[in-house]
């Protein structure tokens, strides 16, 4: 049995196979996921699991070089933005429009759908390297 926090096998596999600059999206319950993009659906009910809770577990296993957020999060969900920045204090943040963020999900290795029900609670994680 694994010793780390992350037990969900599909998500663990995707993280283990990420290369430098590959992306992984942690999404709220409402983000549209392109049919060609791998969907890892963790959503059980409203708020379970939350996006920050999910992100916290992912960060135990994934090296993140950059974070991409919708610029709308600054005005419509500053609490989410603060929590992301608290988890990744040294990681640069790029802001794009929500439409651009949705378009970029098509190029992600996977989208992890959470039960998050707050607006603009979506984050694109850009994979870094550990050396």
């Amino acid at each position: 049995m694994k010793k780390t926090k992350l037990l969900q096998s599909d998500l663990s596999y995707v993280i283990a196979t990420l290369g430098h600059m590959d992306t992984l999206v942690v999404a709220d319950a409402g983000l549209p996921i392109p049919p060609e993009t791998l969907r890892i659906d963790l959503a059980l009910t409203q708020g379970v699991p939350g996006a920050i809770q999910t992100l916290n577990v992912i960060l135990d296993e994934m090296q993140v070089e950059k974070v991409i957020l919708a610029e709308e999060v600054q005005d419509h969900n500053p609490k989410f933005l603060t929590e992301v920045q608290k988890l990744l204090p040294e990681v640069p943040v790029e802001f794009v429009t929500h439409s651009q963020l949705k378009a970029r999900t098509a190029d992600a290795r996977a989208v992890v759908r959470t039960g998050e029900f707050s607006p603009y609670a979506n984050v694109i994680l850009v994979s870094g390297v550990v050396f």
Side-chain angles (χ1 to χ4, degrees), residues 11 26 42 49-59 112-115:
L11 182 52
V26 177
L42 304 180
I52 294 298
Q53 180 183 27
T54 303
L55 183 58
N56 192 33
V57 173
I58 288 171
L59 293 177
V112 182
R113 181 175 176 259
T114 70

Side-chain angles (χ1 to χ4, degrees), residues 20-22 59 62-67 88 90-93 125-129:
H20 187 220
M21 302 299 289
D22 282 342
L59 293 177
M62 182 180 174
Q63 181 68 33
V64 176
E65 181 170 294
K66 180 171 73 170
V67 171
L88 295 155
E90 303 297 320
V91 175
V93 177
L125 304 172
V126 180
S127 181
V129 293

